[in-house]
Amino acid sequence: QIDKYLYAMRLSDETLIDIMARFRREMKNGLSRDFNPTATVKMLPTFVRSIPDGSEKGDFIALDLGGSYFRILRVKVSHEKKQTVQMESEIYNTPEDIMHGSGTRLFDHVAECLGDFMEKQQIKDKKLPVGFTFSFPCRQSKLDEGVLITWTKRFKASGVEGADVVKLLNKAIKKRGDYDADIMAVVNDTVGTMMTCGFDDQRCEVGLIIGTGTNACYMEEMRHIDLVEGDEGRMCINTEWGAFGDDGSLEDIRTEFDREIDRGSLNPGKQLFEKMVSGLYMGELVRLILVKMAKEGLLFEGRITPELLTKGKFETKHVSAIEKSKEGLNKAKEILTRLGVEPSHEDCVAVQHVCTIVSFRSANLVASTLGAILNQLRDNKGVGRLRTTVGVDGSLYKMHPQYARRLHKTTRRLVPDSDVRFLLSESGSGKGAAMVTAVAYRLSEQHRLIDETLAEFKLTHEQLLQVKKRMRTEMEAGLKKKSHETAKVKMLPTFVRSTPDGTENGDFLALDLGGTNFRVLLVKIRSGKRRTVEMHNKIYAIPIEVMQGTGEELFDHIVTCISDFLDYMGIKGARLPLGFTFSFPCKQTSLDAGILLNWTKGFKATDCEGEDVVYLLREGIKRREEFDLDVVAVVNDTVGTMMTCAYEDPNCEIGLIVGTGSNACYMEEMRNIEMVDGEQGRMCVNMEWGAFGDNGCLDDIRTIYDKAVDDFSLNAGKQRYEKMISGMYLGEIVRNILIDFTKRGFLFRGQISETLKTRHIFETKFLSQIERDLNQGCSGFLKGNQRIMEDSGGCAKLKATQLAGQGGSHTGRGKISWLCRGSERAVLECLVPLGSFSRIMHQTVKDLAPKCDVTFLLSEDGSGKGAALITAVGCRLRDAEQ
């Protein structure tokens, strides 16, 4: 009979799954910038971005205001053998007249209680960090701010809605003047619960309260939170799910009793979901049902007493007592007798059944909204099965004998693809507020130290002007005969005296050697009205054992690759002119002779340094005895880059490479090049600027991380400038920063993994992945430390970009061609993502050389095409001489 009478309160799984889907839609609306203003489930960002990681320590105060009692705690988190938490607390009463009076009185009361607590603790002279658990809907734009949206739970203090509660409390503390407090965080009780449980179980990413009121929070991906800038990492969202249904979306499951409860409440039409499930209303719901059943003669032989008609006489604690399995019926008789209804045994059984239906509905409704959150977490993680922990607090969950079991069972039934652990918060949300504060304190202290460390990478305008001045000095030393030998920036003449003039014509071969990949190209250049360049190429790998073997092995490998390409193109019989892009420091005595000064970029082949690389190539071709080639020019990749872009734009007179390595070349006046006879015209000078600073002139801007990378490199003490800016080393600089930060406890809980200890494991391309999408980029051992990762990578990259920019600032008007070679190009495009690197560099050049009008032209075809163009120019000039 009762089941039939309360049929509307018995919800099928089908209905619960439907409610779960509705709540998921409400969550989505609340997270959306467009729909949030009208959304009933507000999905408020809390600015809590991390759960405790176990490294927190310190002395904290926590305030917990959310009901008729107000709690203050002192929480000491220490590290001796393991992390321990000591807590001392005091409970203060919040009288009804203060709850319903003015906001000023309320916060004066809180400040007075805090003063009393600090007096008892003898800490009035200390300014301790404070966490404020404020269990009402607040809008936050930062962690230490909370603007009250609306009062709930019988609070009605005037002048607080729309105001920042942190400011109101600070004002009340300041007015007293007898102590000071640093309020670092204002948190909701659900967040406090999640943080309390997160201290014990780091899988905890949901906080749930089922007590006087009800609410939940969870860790949401930043990319889904439209109301907060940034896509990286996660942030705790306070759902404020008590208002679910305020827009009418639950009307089909609300009963006449729910509507009667709402009409008699302090806030009619608001918090409708909360009124269906929470402890503040459950006892009253049961009372209303009993009154109606008695009126209809279904209970107590129709007897209705003044006590039974009195609002609040049947409390939620009575529901809990009546539902106890053994003494429940005795408790029912006791409670009903106090209400004067003289119950029979059948009445007691019936009332127990009513209580069960009402409390079971509450557990089912909470399970469906919690299920929506769990599904959101699972989808966010992209896993088939979610494993997570829900931290729970609240008197209904704790005190009701059946509630927790029913909630767990229904949740697991509604979300079968989740392994959910429910963890009871033993210490309440106050400890959680202290933990939020501890985390905030840890993070702010870490960020201060991190910012201090990384500040060395952010070069000032004055520092960059100094670097520019020193580079100019080094350039002049390299160009002069008397200082050239000892100069670090070698300023090598290339014997390239002209850029293309458009009359070049013919078929040319080009080789491009400068990294782990080696390219052979056939370039067909056609002059005339419609100039065209047609290119065919093949990429060959150079194994590490060849890079670091003998010179003969290296050049035999190169010739084998050429032979394969000639076969591939079917041109082995032709003796084609060839240009050789050789991207290592060479001293040239003519266009087709280049003596290798020293290897860079990981190459170590023996018997090459001090030798003419064109001669070594010709010898390799002779040993092969399969084909012959006319080697016309040996060029650096920067020169090839300049020539490629000059073919498109005659104003191009500088070549710049920022890839695996870094270098630049430019057209210098012959009168300034003392190493080559003649005063007339211009010649391209290969700066070999990677060695800038090898004489110590950059030591004041080199960091400990730059020095560590240099010390463990193949050529310690050499190419120092290149090691500060190029793609081969940026990832390694970041790895060294990460190791240092881990040692200092800022990252990975102080645990340096064996992987992280491996040199070159952190590739430069990772920087771009992190910048492009930190959540996906920082997978595996990086997850959870994204902000520091971005700062470390960003600062290393910023310094590299600024330094690359200062080098280009010596040039006058004209165009800089900028190439990221072959596979290195991909590295830099990733690193950048190419936008930010180029943008910062262009701006730095503009700032440091304001009188220069510079256009940057990206070399689309690489330096191989440039080598062919130099060969074509060389052939044209050679033919003209003959």
Side-chain angles (χ1 to χ4, degrees):
Q1 195 178 10
I2 291 167
D3 283 348
K4 194 175 176 185
Y5 192 79
L6 295 179
Y7 175 76
M9 284 194 166
R10 296 178 72 85
L11 304 173
S12 67
D13 277 5
E14 190 181 349
T15 303
L16 293 175
I17 288 165
D18 183 41
I19 292 166
M20 194 157 71
R22 292 182 214 178
F23 186 67
R24 188 84 184 267
R25 284 194 295 274
E26 293 292 328
M27 288 169 67
K28 194 175 177 184
N29 288 343
L31 290 169
S32 154
R33 183 180 280 109
D34 296 335
F35 295 105
N36 178 272
T38 55
T40 51
V41 178
K42 283 297 179 192
M43 303 295 285
L44 302 169
T46 65
F47 294 83
V48 171
R49 298 170 186 265
S50 170
I51 59 169
D53 72 354
S55 66
E56 293 75 18
K57 59 185 174 186
D59 200 350
F60 307 96
I61 298 285
L63 313 179
D64 192 351
L65 178 66
S68 52
Y69 294 103
F70 168 51
R71 202 155 67 116
I72 305 180
L73 305 90
R74 183 179 181 187
V75 182
K76 292 181 189 172
V77 187
S78 61
H79 281 268
E80 276 146 23
K81 287 181 182 172
K82 62 173 189 171
Q83 195 176 38
T84 57
V85 178
Q86 280 180 293
M87 293 197 300
E88 296 172 73
S89 69
E90 288 272 337
I91 292 175
Y92 296 87
N93 193 26
T94 311
E96 195 91 2
D97 62 316
I98 286 179
M99 287 163 69
H100 295 171
S102 72
T104 305
R105 272 191 74 201
L106 173 64
F107 284 98
D108 283 349
H109 173 69
V110 173
E112 186 185 334
C113 296
L114 180 56
D116 175 74
F117 181 79
M118 291 178 84
E119 182 103 35
K120 286 177 179 170
Q121 290 286 322
Q122 299 178 336
I123 51 173
K124 261 192 168 177
D125 57 329
K126 294 182 180 178
K127 188 181 179 181
L128 294 182
V130 176
F132 186 13
T133 300
F134 187 72
S135 309
F136 305 93
C138 283
R139 197 172 296 287
Q140 291 185 261
S141 61
K142 50 188 180 179
L143 189 59
D144 60 353
E145 172 200 271
V147 176
L148 178 65
I149 295 169
T150 180
W151 282 118
T152 56
K153 297 180 252 186
R154 293 207 303 265
F155 273 72
K156 271 289 177 186
S158 61
V160 184
E161 290 182 352
D164 177 6
V165 296
V166 175
K167 280 185 182 166
L168 293 174
L169 180 54
N170 274 331
K171 188 178 173 185
I173 291 169
K174 201 172 179 183
K175 192 162 66 178
R176 287 178 59 87
D178 59 336
Y179 67 88
D180 202 0
D182 181 12
I183 301 170
M184 292 192 72
V186 59
V187 298
N188 189 276
D189 52 352
T190 48
V191 182
T193 297
M194 183 187 78
M195 294 297 274
T196 299
C197 296
F199 181 78
D200 298 316
D201 180 346
Q202 281 165 0
R203 282 189 188 277
C204 184
E205 51 192 342
V206 182
L208 172 62
I209 299 260
I210 315 158
T212 308
T214 185
N215 194 13
C217 69
Y218 71 102
M219 295 301 289
E220 179 58 270
E221 301 295 321
M222 280 292 291
R223 66 180 183 271
H224 294 152
I225 308 171
D226 284 358
L227 301 172
V228 181
E229 291 299 318
D231 286 340
E232 72 280 1
R234 301 201 298 171
M235 183 181 284
C236 181
I237 289 289
N238 165 21
T239 65
E240 286 299 336
W241 75 13
F244 179 33
D246 287 7
D247 59 353
S249 60
L250 293 179
E251 285 311 298
D252 57 327
I253 64 160
R254 287 178 76 224
T255 65
E256 59 183 292
F257 308 110
D258 296 311
R259 293 186 178 93
E260 196 174 338
I261 283 273
D262 181 43
R263 283 194 297 273
S265 68
L266 283 169
N267 54 350
K270 292 182 178 178
Q271 300 293 107
L272 297 184
F273 181 72
E274 184 168 77
K275 287 167 186 170
M276 294 168 79
V277 304
S278 78
L280 186 60
Y281 304 98
M282 188 176 284
E284 187 61 9
L285 260 178
V286 171
R287 187 189 70 79
L288 292 175
I289 293 167
L290 300 185
V291 167
K292 188 172 186 206
M293 288 178 74
K295 280 180 180 176
E296 292 179 18
L298 297 170
L299 280 177
F300 320 130
E301 296 175 351
R303 284 187 298 277
I304 298 170
T305 64
E307 289 85 357
L308 187 61
L309 290 172
T310 304
K311 185 178 176 181
K313 274 289 184 183
F314 197 97
E315 297 175 55
T316 300
K317 67 181 180 184
H318 297 149
V319 177
S320 297
I322 288 168
E323 284 198 66
K324 285 185 179 171
S325 50
K326 286 181 182 172
E327 69 256 42
L329 289 176
N330 289 336
K331 288 287 181 187
K333 189 174 180 65
E334 203 178 293
I335 291 158
L336 293 170
T337 302
R338 282 207 299 271
L339 294 174
V341 293
E342 299 173 21
S344 65
H345 178 71
E346 289 74 21
D347 286 335
C348 292
V349 171
V351 169
Q352 189 181 53
H353 199 46
V354 170
C355 290
T356 299
I357 288 171
V358 171
S359 64
F360 217 130
R361 181 185 72 155
S362 168
N364 282 344
L365 286 171
V366 171
S368 61
T369 46
L370 176 61
I373 288 174
L374 296 172
N375 281 338
Q376 178 84 352
L377 284 172
R378 191 192 65 231
D379 291 352
N380 284 350
K381 292 180 181 186
V383 293
R385 189 166 191 85
L386 175 71
R387 192 171 168 207
T388 193
T389 298
V390 177
V392 199
D393 200 359
S395 52
L396 183 58
Y397 181 87
K398 284 180 177 177
M399 310 305 285
H400 191 289
Q402 316 292 339
Y403 197 96
R405 184 180 56 80
R406 290 170 186 163
L407 173 68
H408 302 171
K409 196 173 176 182
T410 308
T411 302
R412 287 170 181 140
R413 201 169 66 244
L414 294 178
V415 193
D417 42 11
S418 295
D419 295 322
V420 187
R421 180 188 181 208
F422 289 86
L423 183 60
L424 183 63
S425 169
E426 300 290 354
S427 318
S429 53
K431 175 183 170 184
M435 294 317 302
V436 172
T437 308
V439 170
Y441 186 73
R442 165 174 64 81
L443 293 178
S444 70
E445 193 59 17
Q446 277 184 7
H447 292 166
R448 186 184 66 76
L449 293 168
I450 288 160
D451 291 344
E452 211 173 80
T453 305
L454 298 181
E456 291 182 62
F457 286 92
K458 296 170 184 175
L459 301 179
T460 65
H461 185 71
E462 289 68 31
Q463 284 177 304
L464 290 168
L465 286 173
Q466 272 300 311
V467 175
K468 174 184 165 183
K469 190 177 171 185
R470 292 171 201 172
M471 176 67 96
R472 187 65 183 261
T473 303
E474 293 296 314
M475 287 167 69
E476 286 169 4
L479 289 168
K480 286 185 167 54
K481 194 174 272 185
K482 66 176 183 183
S483 52
H484 177 83
E485 205 56 45
T486 56
K488 295 300 178 185
V489 178
K490 282 297 180 190
M491 306 297 286
L492 302 168
T494 65
F495 294 85
V496 172
R497 298 169 187 268
S498 169
T499 53
D501 67 359
T503 64
E504 292 75 20
N505 195 70
D507 292 356
F508 305 91
L509 275 180
L511 312 181
D512 190 356
L513 177 68
T516 50
N517 290 331
F518 166 61
R519 236 173 15 136
V520 186
L521 305 92
L522 173 64
V523 183
K524 298 183 176 186
I525 302 171
R526 299 295 177 260
S527 59
K529 282 184 182 176
R530 290 187 61 192
R531 294 190 311 162
T532 60
V533 177
E534 184 188 325
M535 293 200 300
H536 304 270
N537 74 84
K538 222 174 162 187
I539 295 173
Y540 300 90
I542 301 186
I544 190 96
E545 60 271 17
V546 173
M547 285 167 66
Q548 297 180 6
T550 66
E552 197 169 288
E553 286 169 344
L554 174 63
F555 281 92
D556 283 349
H557 179 75
I558 290 168
V559 171
T560 301
C561 296
I562 297 170
S563 174
D564 175 78
F565 181 77
L566 295 175
D567 282 336
Y568 173 71
M569 295 303 299
I571 51 171
K572 219 168 203 176
R575 187 176 186 267
L576 293 177
L578 177 139
F580 186 11
T581 301
F582 188 74
S583 308
F584 303 93
C586 280
K587 183 177 181 179
Q588 286 188 249
T589 52
S590 64
L591 188 60
D592 65 345
I595 294 161
L596 175 64
L597 297 178
N598 57 277
W599 284 117
T600 57
K601 300 179 227 175
F603 276 73
K604 276 283 181 183
T606 58
D607 307 320
C608 295
E609 291 179 355
E611 298 295 328
D612 176 7
V613 294
V614 175
Y615 171 77
L616 295 175
L617 177 62
R618 285 172 177 154
E619 288 299 299
I621 292 169
K622 276 183 195 171
R623 282 195 297 276
R624 185 88 184 180
E625 295 181 341
E626 273 186 25
F627 56 87
D628 194 15
L629 296 171
D630 175 17
V631 184
V632 174
V634 59
V635 298
N636 189 276
D637 51 354
T638 46
V639 184
T641 297
M642 182 187 76
M643 294 296 273
T644 299
C645 293
Y647 188 71
E648 307 298 329
D649 184 338
N651 284 327
C652 184
E653 49 192 358
I654 302 165
L656 170 63
I657 290 197
V658 195
T660 303
S662 181
N663 194 14
C665 69
Y666 70 101
M667 296 301 290
E668 179 60 90
E669 300 298 319
M670 281 294 293
R671 65 177 182 272
N672 295 330
I673 307 172
E674 294 185 6
M675 303 299 293
V676 181
D677 292 337
E679 298 279 312
Q680 298 304 307
R682 301 200 297 172
M683 182 181 285
C684 182
V685 167
N686 165 22
M687 293 176 67
E688 287 299 337
W689 77 8
F692 179 34
D694 287 5
N695 58 359
C697 71
L698 294 180
D699 284 359
D700 58 328
I701 62 162
R702 288 175 78 224
T703 66
I704 55 168
Y705 310 109
D706 295 310
K707 288 167 188 161
V709 167
D710 180 36
D711 288 346
F712 288 98
S713 66
L714 285 169
N715 55 348
K718 294 181 179 177
Q719 300 294 106
R720 288 180 177 179
Y721 181 65
E722 182 169 77
K723 287 168 188 169
M724 293 165 82
I725 68 174
S726 76
M728 187 165 181
Y729 301 99
L730 275 190
E732 190 61 7
I733 291 171
V734 173
R735 188 185 71 86
N736 277 277
I737 296 172
L738 299 185
I739 286 174
D740 180 36
F741 282 3
T742 307
K743 283 178 183 171
R744 291 159 73 182
F746 301 162
L747 282 171
F748 319 134
R749 298 185 202 162
Q751 303 296 310
I752 303 175
S753 68
E754 288 306 312
T755 314
L756 192 56
K757 288 177 189 172
T758 310
R759 285 177 56 228
H760 302 295
I761 194 74
F762 194 96
E763 297 175 48
T764 299
K765 67 182 178 184
F766 291 169
L767 300 188
S768 76
Q769 291 167 4
I770 292 165
E771 286 186 44
R772 231 180 354 232
D773 186 338
L774 283 180
N775 288 309
Q776 292 169 12
C778 291
S779 58
F781 71 94
L782 306 179
K783 197 76 175 172
N785 298 278
Q786 298 98 319
R787 191 260 180 186
I788 300 175
M789 298 294 305
E790 184 186 36
D791 283 357
S792 309
C795 286
K797 191 191 76 180
L798 174 66
K799 182 175 177 182
T801 315
Q802 289 178 322
L803 286 172
Q806 72 73 34
S809 65
H810 300 286
T811 60
R813 61 174 186 78
K815 302 218 174 182
I816 295 180
S817 54
W818 181 25
L819 169 75
C820 322
R821 292 193 313 88
S823 61
E824 291 87 339
R825 177 175 172 185
V827 169
L828 196 58
E829 279 181 340
C830 281
L831 165 66
V832 180
L834 185 65
S836 76
F837 194 103
S838 57
R839 189 185 67 251
I840 296 166
M841 196 190 79
H842 297 176
Q843 188 57 50
T844 306
V845 171
K846 195 174 176 183
D847 292 346
L848 297 178
K851 293 179 183 175
C852 299
D853 179 17
V854 184
T855 304
F856 289 85
L857 183 63
L858 185 64
S859 169
E860 300 290 354
D861 298 315
S863 51
K865 176 181 170 182
L869 284 163
I870 291 168
T871 306
V873 171
C875 288
R876 171 167 58 80
L877 296 175
R878 186 172 66 182
D879 292 348
E881 280 172 20
Q882 287 170 355

